[in-house]
């Protein structure tokens, strides 16, 4: 299992930017499918973006690549989610998740049930 510690949430004005960080107490070069999900009140948890850390290959849900950017820093064992041009609908609890590497290439990376480790979550509120 991978211990995940997340940070970077907060309150932001619409149109602003925010970067979330997730430290994985594990060597990212070993290859995991790691990513970001979010859950708004009354809604299901949805995928935002994931990355296969062994090759730094990102995957984005729907059209989220326009405003969301996932990246990793192996030296810090950290993945990031940069969100630009924040919208009111981006308000949600954001979670970092880790799963086995094959999840990223399986076509089912958008399903939360495929990830075995989760961060505590960080709230992003856009006003």
């Amino acid at each position: 299992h991978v211990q995940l510690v997340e940070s970077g949430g907060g309150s932001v004005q619409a149109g602003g930017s925010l970067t979330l960080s997730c430290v994985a107490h594990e060597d990212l070069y070993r290859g995991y499918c790691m990513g970001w999900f979010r859950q708004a009140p009354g809604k299901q948890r949805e995928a935002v973006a994931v990355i296969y850390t062994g090759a730094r290959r990102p995957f984005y849900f729907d059209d989220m690549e326009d405003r969301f950017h996932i990246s990793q820093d192996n030296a810090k064992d950290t993945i990031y989610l940069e969100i630009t041009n924040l919208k009111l609908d981006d308000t949600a609890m954001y979670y970092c998740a880790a799963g086995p590497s094959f999840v990223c290439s399986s076509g089912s990376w958008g399903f939360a049930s495929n990830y075995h480790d989760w961060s505590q979550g960080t709230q992003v509120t856009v006003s």
Side-chain angles (χ1 to χ4, degrees):
H1 287 278
V2 181
Q3 182 182 0
L4 304 172
V5 180
E6 185 180 0
S7 61
S11 297
V12 188
Q13 288 190 337
S17 300
L18 195 66
T19 298
L20 306 180
S21 302
C22 177
V23 178
H25 292 273
E26 187 61 71
D27 294 326
L28 294 186
Y29 75 87
R30 296 182 184 275
Y32 294 90
C33 188
M34 290 188 63
W36 298 92
F37 287 72
R38 67 183 183 181
Q39 188 166 17
K43 294 187 177 181
Q44 287 189 332
R45 191 169 296 190
E46 65 174 354
V48 175
V50 300
I51 189 166
Y52 169 51
T53 65
R56 300 175 184 262
R57 183 179 177 185
F59 301 83
Y60 294 91
F61 189 66
D62 283 348
D63 60 351
M64 291 193 176
E65 189 172 6
D66 292 343
R67 298 188 298 111
F68 295 79
H69 178 65
I70 188 170
S71 61
Q72 70 184 75
D73 183 336
N74 282 6
K76 298 180 180 180
D77 290 329
T78 300
I79 66 167
Y80 303 93
L81 182 70
E82 180 186 13
I83 315 171
T84 59
N85 190 22
L86 278 154
K87 302 180 183 302
L88 297 180
D89 288 346
D90 294 325
T91 295
M93 187 73 80
Y94 284 72
Y95 298 90
C96 172
S101 58
F102 69 83
V103 171
C104 275
S105 59
S106 68
S108 60
W109 57 264
F111 294 94
S113 58
N114 287 330
Y115 298 83
H116 46 63
D117 296 297
W118 292 85
S119 67
Q120 76 281 12
T122 188
Q123 179 68 38
V124 173
T125 302
V126 184
S127 59

